[in-house]
Amino acid sequence: MLKNDTLIRALLRQPVPRTPIWLMRQAGRYLPEYNKVRAGAGSFLALCKNPDLATEVTLQPLARFPLDAAIIFSDILTIPDAMGLGLSFAEGEGPRFERPLRTERDITALALPDADLLRYVFDTVRQVRRALADEVPVIGFSGSPFTLACYMIEGRGGSDFRHIKTLLYQRPELLHRVLQVNAHAVTDYLNLQIEAGAQAVMMFDTWGGTLGSTEYLDFSLAYMRQVLQALRLEHEGRRVPSIVFTKGGGPWLEAIASSGCDAVGLDWTVDIALSRARIGSRVALQGNLDPAVLLAGPQAARAGAERVLVGYGHGSGHVFNLGHGISQYTSPDAVAALVEAVRELSPAYH
């Protein structure tokens, strides 16, 4: 039995005494203790693939801040890595794939990954669950089928999406083939995380917002909906809530809310009050402070927390988070001030 189930109840829009808070990339480079472990691991991928070290860094932010959830330390590119595309991380350049999907032959040959190649992720989930002893829930996650396809086809991050968009408009059936394989892989991956002990799951659709209006519905949301319909969202006698986050997803909030998820993650470009008016009666909302606010220090962090809480207003169904991941340049003092402000100010709204 969870000792602090505030996050789970808020995701299910049940009454809570205060607004729960966790942060995207809450374990990462802004923490000196993370950087020490990362240096000892030798590489980012080596850290991800070592369950002992991944568990250690997953727990680091909870040792500093009274957060309401742990999210396993991993990467969204574990699935294409297990598909044999040759993932590497160059310092300062982000991820690269040695063998991106550029030909019809590559795409036709694409197959589901062997789950044993991802066992390190499931082992991390199990170890984090044991270490937390049900103090707070554990969140498992995956990249969305479309976001994974972006990296798999472009071969790197931070691209202009030239290759995937050319494929989308020139040979859409080939992109649908990649997305279908990815949807099956993401479904299996999240279900195995749930089986290992994840108590909530999230899909990160980082690049869905780069699509056109109808293309988003057909090439991103349709495949996330397929995943959601196939997830086993009951485990250990409890509901396992699901969260969908599309960066730049403001234009499609109603469609995302109808996808079958329990909660919609909001980036910082949308107004949370208007978002609640649009979809908040159907799903919980997660977000949505601009991560850059934290760069301005503790006072700005506290003011930002208050703005988001006022924007959402009274009642349950809100999980406080950033509109994207924490910057590596953020001071831990600003994070401490943010968490303290949410815990102190939010009870007045419940």
Side-chain angles (χ1 to χ4, degrees), residues 20 36 76 177 305 307 309 348:
K36 183 177 179 180
I76 64 169
R177 154 81 181 151
R307 284 196 302 274
L309 291 170

Short mmCIF file of all heavy atoms in Angstrom, two decimals, residues 20 36 76 177 305 307 309 348:
data_model
loop_
_atom_site.label_atom_id
_atom_site.label_comp_id
_atom_site.label_asym_id
_atom_site.label_seq_id
_atom_site.Cartn_x
_atom_site.Cartn_y
_atom_site.Cartn_z
N PRO A 20 0.10 17.34 -5.94
CA PRO A 20 1.37 16.62 -5.97
C PRO A 20 2.33 17.25 -6.97
O PRO A 20 1.92 17.90 -7.94
CB PRO A 20 0.97 15.21 -6.41
CG PRO A 20 -0.29 15.41 -7.20
CD PRO A 20 -1.01 16.58 -6.56
N LYS A 36 28.56 13.15 -10.38
CA LYS A 36 29.60 12.28 -9.82
C LYS A 36 29.38 10.83 -10.24
O LYS A 36 30.31 10.14 -10.67
CB LYS A 36 29.59 12.41 -8.29
CG LYS A 36 30.68 11.62 -7.60
CD LYS A 36 30.65 11.84 -6.10
CE LYS A 36 31.73 11.02 -5.40
NZ LYS A 36 31.70 11.23 -3.92
N ILE A 76 14.55 7.76 -23.59
CA ILE A 76 13.47 7.37 -24.49
C ILE A 76 13.96 6.52 -25.65
O ILE A 76 13.16 5.88 -26.33
CB ILE A 76 12.68 8.58 -25.04
CG1 ILE A 76 13.57 9.48 -25.91
CG2 ILE A 76 12.02 9.36 -23.92
CD1 ILE A 76 12.79 10.53 -26.67
N ARG A 177 4.49 1.96 -41.47
CA ARG A 177 5.11 0.68 -41.11
C ARG A 177 6.02 0.85 -39.88
O ARG A 177 5.96 0.06 -38.94
CB ARG A 177 5.88 0.15 -42.31
CG ARG A 177 7.03 -0.78 -42.02
CD ARG A 177 6.62 -2.21 -41.76
NE ARG A 177 7.80 -3.01 -41.47
CZ ARG A 177 7.81 -4.08 -40.70
NH1 ARG A 177 6.71 -4.51 -40.14
NH2 ARG A 177 8.92 -4.75 -40.49
N ALA A 305 5.44 29.09 -9.25
CA ALA A 305 4.56 28.07 -8.69
C ALA A 305 3.19 28.65 -8.38
O ALA A 305 2.16 28.04 -8.68
CB ALA A 305 5.19 27.49 -7.42
N ARG A 307 1.72 31.23 -9.74
CA ARG A 307 0.98 31.55 -10.97
C ARG A 307 0.30 30.31 -11.53
O ARG A 307 -0.86 30.37 -11.96
CB ARG A 307 1.93 32.14 -12.03
CG ARG A 307 2.33 33.57 -11.80
CD ARG A 307 2.92 34.19 -13.05
NE ARG A 307 4.09 33.46 -13.53
CZ ARG A 307 5.33 33.65 -13.11
NH1 ARG A 307 5.57 34.55 -12.17
NH2 ARG A 307 6.34 32.95 -13.61
N LEU A 309 -0.54 27.52 -9.89
CA LEU A 309 -1.61 27.08 -8.98
C LEU A 309 -2.85 27.95 -9.10
O LEU A 309 -3.97 27.45 -9.14
CB LEU A 309 -1.09 27.08 -7.54
CG LEU A 309 -0.03 26.02 -7.21
CD1 LEU A 309 0.57 26.29 -5.83
CD2 LEU A 309 -0.61 24.61 -7.28
N ALA A 348 -4.53 25.27 -0.06
CA ALA A 348 -5.61 26.24 -0.11
C ALA A 348 -6.53 26.02 -1.29
O ALA A 348 -7.67 26.53 -1.32
CB ALA A 348 -5.04 27.66 -0.16
#
